[in-house]
Amino acid sequence: MSGRVWRNWSRIESVTPARVAYPGSPDEVVREIAAARADGLRVKPIGAGHSFTGIAIAPGVQLDLRNLQGVVRVDQARNRVTLAAGTHLYRLPELLAPYGLALQNMGDIDAQTIAGATSTGTHGTGAAFGGLATQITGVTLATADGSLLVVDEEDNADLLDAARLGLGALGVLVDVTVQCVPAFKLHAVEKPEPLAAVLNAWEERATGPDHFEFYWFPHTTTALTKTNTRLPMDAPSAPLGSFKRWLDDDFMSNSLFSAVCGLGKAVPGLIPPINRLAQKLTNNREFTDVSTSVFTTKRDVRFREMEYALPREEVPDVLRALDRLINQNNWKISFPVEVRAAAPDDLWLSTAHGRDTGYVAIHRYYKEDPGLYFTYAEQIFRAHGGRPHWGKMHTQHAESLAASYPRFADFRAVRDKLDPQRVFANDYLDRVLGA
Ligand SMILES: Cc1cc2nc3c(=O)[nH]c(=O)nc-3n(C[C@H](O)[C@H](O)[C@H](O)COP(=O)(O)OP(=O)(O)OC[C@H]3O[C@@H](n4cnc5c(N)ncnc54)[C@H](O)[C@@H]3O)c2cc1C
């Protein structure tokens, strides 16, 4: 045994791998796969461990890709950048700056690796924008048979919609080519609004601006909306002052919120008044900054999360059902519900496959048992046609998921071809894809 205990960010999952390897090149990845097979061990690459599920659990050989980072090559004519698979998203502003490029859209943090994020279908918000995997135009995959397989528009193109969102089930990504866009700024407007009005106007709100999302604190009737408009890079900046950013994003969202969650766990009856106070303390904010500074924030308070992708029009009814569920059971929920939108796409296992999508995410402080809140909320999500985020908590399995994804059988056939011996399997993949 390696003796090294690995834990994911939310501290739900842990494992002591038999061996940990740190390959520094594609050829070393191939060698590690061959060595693992010779020892009868399975292989699993890890990213930043930010998935809430056991998708990255590696009881056999854990491939830690910290030595596989950075820019591999740039196609300036097409704004495409090939990144080593272990590159963290927070490095992209520095790596892409010399080329004047940026990611088209991002989720709400940048701790993930490019390979981990695309493999689980990580997304941001914006009804006209797909998740990160839709921005991937090609990958190089180290496969179970010891080869390096290029998958892009020219080579093995029939595998592209499986390989760029592959749950880590098809092989080890050694590099990923991203379709970037010219660097841009975002004008952000953040304000509290009546939840009922936001839900009644959900379709216009989700589809009108470039990027719209909102948070709803249970036990309140207020939505904290965030509306971001894309601007060219030469638009004047009006960033948050560093004290204001610290106060809102560090102190209010992390330090104070952590203390409040601890207090709420000890005395749950305090949660509804605390949530009402938190929503009153939330100021209107308006600022303009480079895209990465607006899309992403720091998340220091650990939590557990379930997120479902829904047909977009179902979002208002789902929110109303969650409100009824919490009230009827008299639960005290300190963490907000997050609501976002994304464009339909063609990726076989994308949660936005083939439909305009609304995302609803529920959270609980990591020291609290998500318990019946997650169980019953998941029943609501499923009743409204929901598909679970691959990196967030859920209880679905291959049979129930097959009914949600028209190309599920095709994905399994590719897996059978590329990994017949299940070198890249683990318990989570056995559950969601079958053994
Ligand atoms: C605080 C927080 C905020 C989040 N915000 C968002 C958000 O806004 N939007 C959203 O959609 N999700 C969000 N997530 C979820 C997160 O983006 C995904 O779970 C993502 O997979 C994490 O990336 P990672 O690098 O940590 O990958 P890991 O969790 O380490 O791994 C995920 C999967 O990718 C596989 N993998 C990693 N590297 C490779 C490789 N080289 N080749 C093949 N497979 C590989 C792993 O084996 C595993 O199966 C958030 C999570 C947290 C904890």
Side-chain angles (χ1 to χ4, degrees), residues 204-285:
E204 302 88 271
R205 297 300 296 274
T207 57
D210 292 324
H211 305 277
F212 176 75
E213 69 182 294
F214 70 88
Y215 289 90
W216 164 60
F217 277 90
H219 320 294
T220 77
T221 54
T222 305
L224 304 176
T225 63
K226 294 184 168 209
T227 307
N228 293 336
T229 304
R230 299 166 84 91
L231 297 173
M233 206 52 186
D234 58 5
S237 281
L240 289 172
S242 50
F243 176 71
K244 176 82 177 134
R245 182 173 270 274
W246 171 82
L247 185 69
D248 290 353
D249 294 347
D250 272 1
F251 184 67
M252 295 291 282
S253 305
N254 288 311
S255 312
L256 183 62
F257 192 50
S258 170
V260 163
C261 287
L263 189 64
K265 181 175 175 348
V267 192
L270 288 177
I271 288 175
I274 287 174
N275 281 9
R276 288 191 285 273
L277 181 67
Q279 151 245 296
K280 283 204 186 93
L281 287 176
T282 308
N283 293 322
N284 290 359
R285 301 202 304 186

